[in-house]
Amino acid sequence: MDDGTDRLVSVALKSIGCRTNQEEMVALQFRLQQEGFQIVEQISDADVIIVNTCSVTSFTESKTRRLLNSLSQEAPQAEILVTGCLAQQKPQELKNFKSVTWVVGNTLKAQISTILANKRGGIFHLSFDTDLNSFEQGVPSISPDEIGEGFRTRFPLKIQEGCDNSCAYCIVPSVRGPSRSQGLRTVLETASKAIDCGYKELVLTGTHIGQFDKANGGLLNLLEHLSQLSGDFRIRLSSLDPRDLSSSLISLIQTEKKICKHLHVSVQSLCQDILRSMGRPCDDLEKLIETLAGFREKTPTAALGSDIIVGFPGETDENFRTTCVNATRIGFTYAHVFRYSRRPGTRAADFANQVSEAVKSERSAVLRDLIEKSKSGFFEKTASEIQKIIVESESPVRGLTSNYIHVEVPGINMPRNTWLEVAVSSQKRGRFFLAKPFTEKVL
């Protein structure tokens, strides 16, 4: 990395896994630029490649290992810094990879620029303990004014980090640490700054946003305060746990004009026996089903998404049929269907009655087909409504509706970060639904 000249050290960034990882890399990019590093797109131009890893499934872990091997072959001139959840979980294994000079756990992400500047390789890792459990641990949230004006559309407002739950299949609490929240005042100040900078959507993000500041009114209190801020903007929630839902929260999402009509609830299963085995007890599953079905009935053009795991250890055909029946009753507009992935270090990894990969694949296909039918009905209902997008791409014009429909508007030109009312059709181009600009007729 040190060639004896005064030129800037060039850094390429790679990220695997969740939206949180992606947002952290955006924040890290700006931190590195502020510290005098040069960010490059091509790994062939990089002195250093930073890889932000994921360990939520065996697939993402394997993907990380393949990427590291590929990078060392395709960019032999570059040194590699590995960070993220897999670096927190298996630092020594990653350090043994060819070209890996640094391994930085989640607890020390905020120090990556300093670690690079010192030029000394090694493992930089601390476990989560009572002395380290502050919100600031990890990469700091990005400030709204650090993003160039031409790129401002949707601002990721990080409100929380970590998780206090102990799901039997999940490695996240051990690699992200316990739940800790940003202060309410700080969140509101950052939100106000983002609005003043011109952002038109605030996306509330975190590992488990439903655990935000529960001692002081929680997520509901935050949404009420955010909704009172002045400005031309909207608020979007990321994923919620069913245990964090309340009638007041759902009512606010349905009625507050500034909150996107989009609810994503990670149910993981809709069978009581499987939820209990997962360590996700639901005191009244029937009530949850009725609540979510009621949300769809009252707001039929609002998006209702979910995450569902199939093939969890011990899941019988009857258990799976129960989940399918209940998913149909609810009427999800989309769902991320995952085949259970056995993760060492989790309780479920040692459970008996592991389900075969063939059965997992079969169940995944069945559930995806069921959700697709429900999704089709949702789009038929939305065709009668005019939707509003923020233009995020100028050529072609593309954006996201309040109710989570990715649209493309052919044949027009619009500047980024402007509002556009559209009529969405059922025609698609890739993952985008085609839409036309809405022009109100003058009578």
Side-chain angles (χ1 to χ4, degrees), residues 290-362:
E290 291 175 355
T291 296
L292 296 179
F295 176 85
R296 289 286 295 118
E297 183 177 358
K298 186 173 180 179
T299 48
T301 57
L304 177 60
S306 192
D307 303 306
I308 304 175
I309 296 172
V310 298
F312 188 77
E315 183 186 62
T316 64
D317 288 342
E318 184 60 32
N319 294 149
F320 175 65
R321 279 193 292 270
T322 298
T323 287
C324 290
V325 168
N326 287 332
T328 301
R329 290 174 60 194
I330 292 169
F332 292 113
T333 62
Y334 71 94
H336 304 138
V337 179
F338 300 95
R339 290 171 290 178
Y340 167 72
S341 176
R342 197 172 188 172
R343 304 301 293 132
T346 63
R347 300 194 308 279
D350 299 321
F351 284 0
N353 301 316
Q354 297 283 331
V355 178
S356 72
E357 291 302 320
V359 171
K360 291 178 192 176
S361 296
E362 181 182 343

Side-chain angles (χ1 to χ4, degrees), residues 364-377:
S364 175
V366 168
L367 186 54
R368 289 174 189 273
D369 184 60
L370 183 153
I371 297 295
E372 194 61 34
K373 292 176 182 176
S374 175
K375 184 178 181 179
S376 298

Side-chain angles (χ1 to χ4, degrees), residues 57 77 128 132 137 157 179 230 252 254 281 306 310 323 326 329 354 375 392 401 413 420 426:
T57 67
Q77 84 291 343
F128 289 97
L132 292 171
Q137 202 169 4
L157 182 58
S179 179
S230 59
L252 185 65
Q254 290 175 316
S306 192
V310 298
T323 287
N326 287 332
R329 290 174 60 194
Q354 297 283 331
K375 184 178 181 179
E392 298 182 60
T401 66
N413 294 306
L420 177 64
S426 58

Side-chain angles (χ1 to χ4, degrees), residues 206-252:
T207 312
H208 190 143
I209 65 169
Q211 292 180 350
F212 172 79
D213 200 17
K214 283 199 166 183
N216 297 294
L219 183 61
L220 177 63
N221 182 51
L222 172 60
L223 287 173
E224 290 173 340
H225 278 81
L226 287 172
S227 299
Q228 293 170 11
L229 296 177
S230 59
D232 187 18
F233 70 98
R234 66 190 185 193
I235 305 160
R236 189 179 301 275
L237 299 176
S238 53
S239 179
L240 292 171
D241 188 289
R243 291 165 286 188
D244 300 322
L245 293 178
S246 67
S247 57
S248 298
L249 180 60
I250 290 177
S251 177
L252 185 65

